[in-house]
Amino acid sequence: METRELRYFIAVAEELHFGNAADLLQMAQPPLSRAIQQLERRLGVALFDRSGRNVALTIAGEVLLDEGKAALAAVRAAERRTQRAAATPTQIVLAAKAGASNELLTTLLDRYAITPAAAHVDVQLVGVGEPERMLRDGRADVALLLLPFDEPAGFDFTQLNSEGQVALLPIGHPLAKRKRLSTSDLEALPGLPQPRWPEPDGSFLEGDGPTVRDYVQLLQLIGLGRACAIVPESSPRLGNSLAVVPVHDADMVATVIAWPPHSRSRAVAELVASSASVPKIQASLTD
Amino acid sequence: METRELRYFIAVAEELHFGNAADLLQMAQPPLSRAIQQLERRLGVALFDRSGRNVALTIAGEVLLDEGKAALAAVRAAERRTQRAAATPTQIVLAAKAGASNELLTTLLDRYAITPAAAHVDVQLVGVGEPERMLRDGRADVALLLLPFDEPAGFDFTQLNSEGQVALLPIGHPLAKRKRLSTSDLEALPGLPQPRWPEPDGSFLEGDGPTVRDYVQLLQLIGLGRACAIVPESSPRLGNSLAVVPVHDADMVATVIAWPPHSRSRAVAELVASSASVPKIQASLTD
DNA sequence: CCCATTGATACCTCACGGGTATCGAAAAAT
DNA sequence: ATTTTTCGATACCCGTGAGGTATCAATGGG
């Protein structure tokens, strides 16, 4: 199976429409149809149900969509890491969510910097879900992930930290005076919905909360009394403009450092090794 | 990057010889040379050092060899799992090392069999290192791996069991009477070397021990007084023809059940779930 | 110094990936 | 019910590029 065939298949499987998929791929529809037929013939497997004029995935097709995406990401990762290895032999790219784990990150980088022959670490602070994607497709060599929001499946990782979560509320809100809250207190608060973050594909799920793409925007919305949110304790607060109340039954959030399996990079190994000596910060509420 | 290019590159990178690689690939040498040049041009990266008449990998080339192998395995896995999903929709393939974890395996299968709508489990008992390889290239959906011998990097897994190791010696050997041994006792025993197992590529490392490919062969060699071995407690003994002595400082051996990341297979998920209820057997020495 | 070895180059061929035109069936519209 | 539109498949053509043979050029062993 060639990666070209995989790309074609994935486009059709996601669009469930040969014409639209062909547009995305910047090609005409007939060769795309033929390529898929040929792929089905070569695999000896029906990937689509073309009953009438609507296209649906078969069971086998769903499997190939899943596995194929992972495989394509692995190929892209191989390309990117190869190119980076040639361009800057002693540099590693670390991806982390902007705004999260600042203290952890600086400690980690400081510890690593003093190891002999430390490589230059290019720190990429990116949006929600991006660190995981960057690690998967080779744009990053190491990433700080937040569990349970990110999914470290397929990577090696070690935990750096674990913390509770707090509610961010507008100052003066009735709940803001409480010493602690539960998640149920915050569900369906009249006039204070929790915002919706983008899905991996950039779209938003249906719902009534405001849509939010970055953290500062979230804090602004809360300040304006239009939303509330549950965030890890260590998230930055931008001053004292919001009320902070612990949420006792929210998931614990773990920060892990993750890297691709089998990474033979000495630099990555040493960075991870120095991460082991980073103290497990228990973020306090009185910062 | 197409998988064809990757296959070509890996062949050359492993042979470090264009002619031999072309033979392996069943093609002529010139188109192979050109394909590699083109790959280097497209990536914008030198993959080989062709100084004079010997070929060597560059740093970037080493990276691509590693990552490319993993990527190719992922593509093959996608193909295989797709084909299996089409052929037998409700069957999963479990790979385990022949002879290991028999009791664990039967308990696991029994527990799973009683879950509602349990899929048929095709149990493949294979040789050393094979379970990991089968899981990696898609021939298996789940595998029982033995740490630290197998390397679960890149998979999801949970531990089923942990046990010590014992020495197997010919009956009547001086050390056979001891209550416990240490690994150093067994190193360089005159006339009783530890055997050599095949490497992943099927070759054997240099050494003076007899070469061994399966477990029964190993037991025979020990019975004949030609070898000794350190094996997990729960390994089968084939009767009482060998002396068994605990080795107190050997690595603990963990049996884990591993599956590919992101596996959305309901059957695999349920098999893993039922594995959680398998009692953590502590194999006793008096079986 | 010669020759064998080995990767690169030159050149040819044809398979195959991709394009346009069109068909046929099925759903939607009237 | 009939027409129209939508959409994947088919037919056919073309050009790129993958692969083959012959040969060159450079390097290292004898």
Side-chain angles (χ1 to χ4, degrees):
Chain A
M1 197 165 42
E2 293 301 313
T3 61
R4 181 181 46 78
E5 302 177 289
L6 251 185
R7 280 192 304 273
Y8 289 2
F9 167 77
I10 290 173
V12 177
E14 290 187 328
E15 293 292 313
L16 291 178
H17 188 294
F18 282 74
N20 296 354
D23 282 350
L24 280 186
L25 295 167
Q26 313 216 53
M27 67 187 293
Q29 169 259 321
L32 178 58
S33 285
R34 258 181 307 144
I36 300 288
Q37 287 171 3
Q38 183 174 317
L39 177 60
E40 288 180 309
R41 229 177 310 126
R42 280 215 255 260
L43 291 177
V45 165
L47 299 170
F48 293 103
D49 263 335
R50 301 141 169 106
S51 52
R53 103 203 230 171
N54 64 333
V55 177
L57 280 170
T58 61
I59 302 287
E62 286 181 21
V63 170
L64 185 57
L65 180 55
D66 268 19
E67 302 261 341
K69 274 185 185 175
L72 259 195
V75 172
R76 268 195 294 267
E79 290 182 27
R80 291 227 173 81
R81 296 217 173 88
T82 303
Q83 288 172 326
R84 281 222 316 281
T88 52
T90 55
Q91 170 178 320
I92 55 183
V93 177
L94 183 152
K97 182 164 155 293
S101 343
N102 265 327
E103 193 177 343
L104 200 63
L105 188 50
T106 47
T107 331
L108 172 60
L109 293 177
D110 288 350
R111 300 246 170 187
Y112 175 63
I114 58 175
T115 61
H120 177 250
V121 179
D122 178 8
V123 178
Q124 302 262 3
L125 296 172
V126 291
V128 176
E130 269 299 293
E132 184 191 333
R133 242 163 292 143
M134 290 180 69
L135 194 56
R136 250 175 238 294
D137 69 14
R139 282 174 293 163
D141 301 297
V142 208
L144 296 187
L145 303 182
L146 292 180
L147 315 192
F149 309 119
D150 294 313
E151 176 56 65
F155 300 129
D156 283 3
F157 60 94
T158 60
Q159 183 168 333
L160 297 181
N161 195 8
S162 179
E163 56 185 327
Q165 298 197 68
V166 295
L168 299 184
L169 297 162
I171 287 180
H173 189 276
L175 289 181
K177 295 171 199 115
R178 300 260 293 271
K179 279 289 166 219
R180 56 209 286 271
L181 295 168
S182 71
T183 49
S184 54
D185 292 329
L186 294 159
E187 271 163 26
L189 271 187
L192 264 201
Q194 299 195 29
R196 290 171 290 151
W197 290 95
E199 296 296 298
D201 60 359
S203 71
F204 290 91
L205 295 179
E206 286 299 307
D208 55 352
T211 60
V212 152
R213 288 197 180 270
D214 78 61
Y215 191 75
V216 175
Q217 198 184 346
L218 172 69
L219 296 183
Q220 284 183 327
L221 276 169
I222 299 172
L224 292 170
R226 309 297 291 271
C228 68
I230 301 180
V231 302
E233 287 174 33
S234 69
S235 304
R237 311 281 159 70
L238 299 189
N240 292 320
S241 51
L242 300 180
V244 178
V245 187
V247 179
H248 69 277
D249 64 344
D251 286 333
M252 290 295 282
V253 175
T255 305
V256 302
I257 181 168
W259 62 97
H262 314 290
S263 171
R264 280 203 211 149
S265 155
R266 190 187 49 76
V268 168
E270 283 172 1
L271 179 59
V272 170
S274 54
S275 82
S277 69
V278 171
K280 303 284 182 290
I281 302 163
Q282 285 292 345
S284 81
L285 289 177
T286 57
D287 52 351
Chain B
M1 194 165 43
E2 293 301 313
T3 60
R4 181 180 45 80
E5 302 177 288
L6 251 185
R7 281 192 303 272
Y8 289 2
F9 167 76
I10 290 173
V12 177
E14 289 187 330
E15 292 293 313
L16 291 179
H17 189 292
F18 282 75
N20 297 353
D23 282 351
L24 280 186
L25 294 167
Q26 312 215 51
M27 67 188 291
Q29 168 260 320
L32 178 59
S33 285
R34 257 182 306 141
I36 299 288
Q37 286 172 5
Q38 184 175 315
L39 177 61
E40 289 179 309
R41 231 177 307 125
R42 279 215 256 261
L43 291 177
V45 165
L47 299 170
F48 293 103
D49 263 335
R50 298 129 164 121
S51 52
R53 100 203 234 172
N54 63 332
V55 177
L57 280 169
T58 61
I59 303 287
E62 286 179 20
V63 170
L64 186 57
L65 180 54
D66 267 20
E67 302 261 341
K69 274 185 184 173
L72 259 195
V75 172
R76 269 196 294 266
E79 289 181 27
R80 291 226 173 82
R81 296 217 172 88
T82 303
Q83 289 171 328
R84 282 222 315 280
T88 52
T90 54
Q91 170 178 321
I92 53 183
V93 177
L94 183 151
K97 184 165 154 292
S101 342
N102 266 325
E103 193 177 342
L104 200 62
L105 188 50
T106 47
T107 331
L108 172 60
L109 292 178
D110 288 349
R111 300 246 169 186
Y112 175 63
I114 58 175
T115 61
H120 177 249
V121 179
D122 177 9
V123 178
Q124 301 262 3
L125 295 173
V126 292
V128 176
E130 270 298 294
E132 184 191 333
R133 244 163 291 145
M134 290 181 68
L135 195 55
R136 251 176 238 294
D137 67 15
R139 281 175 294 163
D141 301 297
V142 210
L144 296 187
L145 303 182
L146 292 180
L147 316 192
F149 308 119
D150 294 313
E151 176 55 66
F155 299 128
D156 283 3
F157 60 95
T158 60
Q159 185 168 332
L160 298 182
N161 195 8
S162 179
E163 56 185 326
Q165 298 197 67
V166 296
L168 299 184
L169 297 162
I171 287 181
H173 189 275
L175 288 180
K177 294 171 199 116
R178 300 261 293 271
K179 280 287 166 221
R180 55 210 284 272
L181 296 168
S182 70
T183 49
S184 54
D185 291 330
L186 294 158
E187 272 164 24
L189 272 185
L192 263 200
Q194 300 195 28
R196 291 172 290 152
W197 291 94
E199 296 296 298
D201 61 358
S203 71
F204 290 91
L205 296 178
E206 285 299 306
D208 56 352
T211 61
V212 152
R213 287 196 180 270
D214 78 61
Y215 192 73
V216 174
Q217 198 183 346
L218 172 70
L219 296 183
Q220 284 183 326
L221 275 170
I222 300 173
L224 292 170
R226 309 296 291 270
C228 68
I230 301 179
V231 301
E233 287 175 32
S234 68
S235 305
R237 311 282 161 67
L238 299 189
N240 294 318
S241 52
L242 299 180
V244 177
V245 186
V247 179
H248 70 277
D249 64 344
D251 286 333
M252 290 295 283
V253 175
T255 305
V256 302
I257 181 168
W259 62 97
H262 314 291
S263 171
R264 280 202 210 149
S265 155
R266 190 187 49 75
V268 169
E270 284 171 0
L271 178 61
V272 170
S274 55
S275 82
S277 69
V278 171
K280 304 283 183 291
I281 303 163
Q282 285 292 344
S284 81
L285 288 178
T286 58
D287 50 352

